[in-house]
């Protein structure tokens, strides 16, 4: 896919710093770069007050650079907006599948957020980061018995996805100490996003079919070992439309009313996540505030219309909290020109640290971080270093003339990059730093060659 930036020599990487031109206060999810991004007098990109090329000298390349300020502001905007627009209790929980690591869990918890986890590994990380069990929500469509046991032992809330799980949980706990659960239901709401990341339509592997809900409520009402607190739905990810979330309020309020018919008063309603971010200039997501207002007003009105007590309203954003807060910086290596066809420049990472382009055909922008004012005179395809022709990070990027050793930065890599990273080709996963007011602290160590062998076993029969 071709970049929408014309090959205009007047334009330099600096133009990515310009805000999209809205009058209301922008949310981090509406910007291409982190809130603190600026250009210093060396003509270098700075994030969190740290010079990006210098960070690479200190921590190595490639490097994930996470801007603490952007993540904090996004957390605060979600929290404040829910408090402003919803008269009942509310809770924002971070969908940690976007990037689950100790430092990120600890940072969002400090901002007063709870957490959504989807595996024993994510739950374990959240626990070690000190996130209280009563604001930890355990999702997933195929939790193992061990994972359910772990959830019960920690006392976190379990978002039950299917009958097998419901029945297993009913047997695991006892009436004296019932397990707090929510029920995940497929809302049957269509929205426009990539097929792989749509979850709300009826043909989805997640959640109970709405037709089964009467039977599910009946089962729950007869099992005192289950403390059914509420219902959950999630309609998809990277969504810019507001209507699907407005419709969701009414659909979910109907479920609360249905539960009443089975003697269940549900006190929690979790509307999932899904707000999109700006990866390119043509992406125009609503602000966090606008999204929150839509969700809150929809739930409020739907409950008032049905005379329902206001449930605690929960939302679980991932991408829109952390996506724009991070950039990945790479070093340029080899270059190749296929005459009349295309020029390639290769970086020292690729599909192993950012699998989104090859998985979803996601489009990213790139900046030359060590010469921010240089004119964008070239059309270059930014390739990864993996033995795979499809390992292309960006097709037809606009960049200045490059030399080996140049530092490029790809914005919008905070969500679903490190969390989906791999060791393909035995490439060690990069380090990550948290940048704040001119200080950078390591939050993930770079993998070493020894780390790559950590799980390998050489059987006696092959040794020697
Ligand atoms: N809640 C549930 C139950 C989810 O399944 C998800 C995302 C979220 C919340 C958070 O959604 P968000 O606010 O981040 O849109 N790997 C894909 C995205 C997969 C999303 C999975 N579920 C990507 O790179 O685009």
């Amino acid at each position: 896919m071709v970049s929408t930036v014309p090959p205009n020599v007047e334009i330099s990487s600096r133009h990515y710093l310009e805000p999209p031109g809205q009058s209301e206060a922008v949310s981090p999810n509406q910007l291409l770069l982190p809130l603190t991004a600026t250009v210093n007098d060396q003509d270098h990109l700075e994030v969190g007050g740290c010079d990006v090329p210098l960070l690479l000298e200190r921590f190595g390349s490639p490097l994930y650079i996470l801007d603490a300020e952007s993540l904090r502001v996004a957390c605060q905007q979600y929290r404040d907006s829910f408090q402003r627009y919803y008269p009942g209790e509310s809770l924002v929980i971070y969908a940690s599948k976007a990037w689950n690591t100790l430092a990120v869990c600890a940072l969002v918890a400090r901002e007063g957020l709870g957490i959504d986890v989807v595996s024993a590994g994510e739950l374990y990380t959240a626990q070690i980061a000190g996130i209280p069990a009563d604001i930890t929500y355990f999702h997933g469509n195929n939790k193992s018995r061990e994972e359910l046991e772990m959830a019960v032992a920690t006392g976190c809330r379990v978002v039950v996805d299917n009958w097998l799980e419901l029945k297993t949980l009913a047997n695991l706990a006892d009436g004296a100490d019932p397990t707090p659960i929510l029920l995940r239901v497929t809302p049957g709401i269509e929205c426009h996003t990539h097929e792989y990341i749509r979850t709300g339509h009826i043909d989805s592997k997640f959640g109970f079919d709405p037709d089964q809900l009467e039977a599910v409520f009946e089962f729950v009402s007869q099992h005192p070992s289950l403390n059914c607190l509420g219902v959950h739905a999630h309609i998809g990810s990277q969504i810019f439309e507001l209507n699907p979330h407005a419709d969701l309020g009414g659909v979910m309020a109907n479920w609360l009313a249905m539960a009443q018919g089975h003697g269940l008063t549900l006190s929690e309603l979790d509307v999932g996540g899904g707000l999109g971010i700006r990866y390119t200039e043509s992406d125009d997501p609503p602000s966090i505030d606008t999204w929150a207002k839509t969700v809150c007003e929809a739930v409020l009105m739907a409950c008032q219309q049905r005379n329902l007590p206001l449930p605690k309203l929960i939302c679980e954003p991932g991408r829109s909290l952390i996506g724009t807060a991070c950039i990945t910086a790479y070093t340029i290596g080899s270059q190749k020109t296929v005459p009349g066809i295309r020029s390639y420049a290769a970086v020292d990472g690729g599909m192993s640290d950012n699998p989104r382009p090859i998985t979803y055909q996601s489009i990213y922008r790139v900046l030359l971080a060590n010469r921010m004012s240089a004119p964008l005179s070239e059309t270059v395809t930014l390739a990864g270093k993996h033995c795979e022709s499809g390992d292309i990070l960006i097709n037809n990027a606009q960049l200045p003339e490059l030399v080996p050793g140049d530092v490029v930065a790809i914005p919008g890599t905070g969500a679903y990059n490190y969390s989906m990273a791999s060791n393909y080709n035995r490439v060690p996963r990069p380090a990550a730093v948290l940048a704040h007011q001119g200080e950078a602290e390591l939050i993930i160590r770079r993998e070493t060659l020894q780390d790559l062998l950590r799980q390998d076993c050489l059987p006696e029969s092959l040794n020697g």
Side-chain angles (χ1 to χ4, degrees):
M1 268 162 248
V2 180
S3 157
T4 54
V5 182
N8 180 341
V9 289
E10 298 303 322
I11 294 181
S12 72
S13 296
R14 282 175 177 266
H15 87 276
Y16 292 111
L17 290 163
E18 285 156 22
Q22 272 128 331
S23 51
E24 57 164 334
V26 292
S27 294
N29 72 310
Q30 297 179 298
L31 299 170
L32 271 171
L33 282 162
L35 286 173
T36 60
T38 180
V39 180
N40 64 21
D41 50 17
Q42 307 291 302
D43 203 25
H44 289 179
L45 176 65
E46 257 186 33
V47 169
C50 298
D51 178 298
V52 169
L54 287 183
L55 285 181
L56 260 65
E57 279 179 24
R58 180 170 160 209
F59 293 100
S61 174
L63 185 68
Y64 297 103
I65 302 167
L66 178 62
D67 177 40
E69 173 82 2
S70 299
L71 181 52
R72 287 208 181 102
V73 166
C75 291
Q76 287 158 11
Q77 288 188 354
Y78 264 108
R79 234 188 31 215
D80 293 350
S81 302
F82 270 76
Q83 279 167 10
R84 185 171 323 126
Y85 299 119
Y86 192 68
E89 205 185 334
S90 59
L91 175 69
V92 181
I93 62 178
Y94 167 56
S96 71
K97 65 206 72 159
W99 193 354
N100 183 297
T101 188
L102 282 177
V104 171
C105 291
L107 192 155
V108 300
R110 277 198 185 193
E111 293 305 323
L113 271 60
I115 200 149
D116 140 6
V117 297
V118 292
S119 66
E122 288 189 355
L123 175 58
Y124 179 66
T125 313
Q127 272 189 301
I128 301 288
I131 303 196
D134 63 348
I135 50 171
T136 301
Y137 289 71
F138 195 165
H139 293 273
N141 70 311
N142 191 23
K143 304 175 195 77
S144 66
R145 190 180 172 89
E146 291 73 24
E147 285 177 321
L148 292 173
E149 284 169 354
M150 183 176 170
V152 170
T154 62
C156 70
R157 286 163 166 49
V158 183
V159 184
V160 178
D161 195 273
N162 53 62
W163 280 106
L164 175 65
E165 222 170 74
L166 194 60
K167 291 177 180 169
T168 309
L169 275 180
N171 292 330
L172 276 182
D174 57 43
D177 198 8
T179 301
I181 64 164
L182 280 79
L183 300 166
R184 177 166 185 169
V185 189
T186 314
I189 289 176
E190 298 282 339
C191 52
H192 298 114
T193 187
H194 193 288
E195 185 185 351
Y196 293 177
I197 52 180
R198 258 190 325 164
T199 52
H201 53 304
I202 290 292
D203 181 10
S204 161
K205 71 169 184 171
F206 296 104
F208 289 100
D209 189 287
D211 289 349
Q212 301 175 343
L213 209 46
E214 297 274 10
V216 173
F217 283 141
E218 194 50 34
F219 180 92
V220 169
S221 68
Q222 285 166 16
H223 285 80
S225 58
L226 301 173
N227 177 15
C228 186
L229 295 174
V231 278
H232 166 277
H234 172 74
I235 57 179
S237 200
Q238 184 60 2
I239 299 169
F240 294 172
E241 301 161 282
L242 291 167
N243 285 347
H245 276 100
D247 295 345
L248 189 61
V251 171
M252 294 189 80
N254 285 341
W255 301 339
L256 297 183
M258 189 193 288
Q260 279 191 334
H262 296 265
L264 298 166
T265 304
L266 303 188
S267 57
E268 296 195 359
L269 189 142
D270 181 343
V271 297
L275 173 61
I277 67 167
R278 188 177 182 92
Y279 287 106
T280 74
E281 303 83 327
S282 51
D283 292 331
D284 191 15
S287 67
I288 290 171
D289 190 77
T290 302
W291 188 87
K293 187 169 189 277
T294 306
V295 167
C296 292
E297 287 177 351
V299 171
L300 185 61
M301 203 172 78
C303 289
Q304 282 170 347
Q305 281 168 349
R306 292 161 184 79
N307 261 329
L308 293 164
L310 284 189
K312 175 169 168 180
L313 180 56
I314 300 163
C315 72
E316 47 191 37
R319 192 191 314 262
S320 53
L321 279 174
I322 202 166
T324 312
C326 185
I327 63 163
T328 307
Y330 302 90
T331 304
I332 293 289
S334 63
Q335 296 184 56
K336 169 181 178 176
T337 298
V338 186
I341 300 186
R342 175 188 304 276
S343 291
Y344 290 96
V347 295
D348 48 358
M351 60 184 283
S352 59
D353 59 78
N354 183 359
R356 299 193 71 258
I358 199 167
T359 312
Y360 312 115
Q361 300 75 50
S362 308
I363 304 177
Y364 285 85
R365 292 292 181 241
V366 59
L367 292 69
L368 182 58
N370 59 324
R371 269 179 285 127
M372 287 289 287
S373 303
L376 307 183
S377 53
E378 315 289 311
T379 300
V380 181
T381 288
L382 202 67
K385 65 174 281 149
H386 295 276
C387 288
E388 177 116 0
S389 303
D391 176 30
I392 300 294
L393 286 174
I394 306 175
N395 273 310
N396 300 319
Q398 303 304 316
L399 278 163
E401 211 169 308
L402 297 171
V403 292
D406 271 341
V407 175
V408 291
I410 297 192
T413 58
Y416 309 110
N417 272 230
Y418 188 84
S419 64
M420 303 207 316
S422 74
N423 288 126
Y424 182 45
N425 297 152
R426 289 235 143 170
V427 171
R429 278 174 297 181
V433 293
L434 185 69
H436 183 56
Q437 292 184 345
E439 301 285 332
E441 294 170 292
L442 205 55
I443 58 168
I444 297 174
R445 266 187 297 111
R446 184 175 304 282
E447 280 177 340
T448 63
L449 297 182
Q450 290 80 5
D451 288 333
L452 297 173
L453 298 190
R454 205 174 43 205
Q455 306 305 122
D456 284 22
C457 307
L458 193 57
E460 202 57 33
S461 58
L462 295 173
N463 198 355

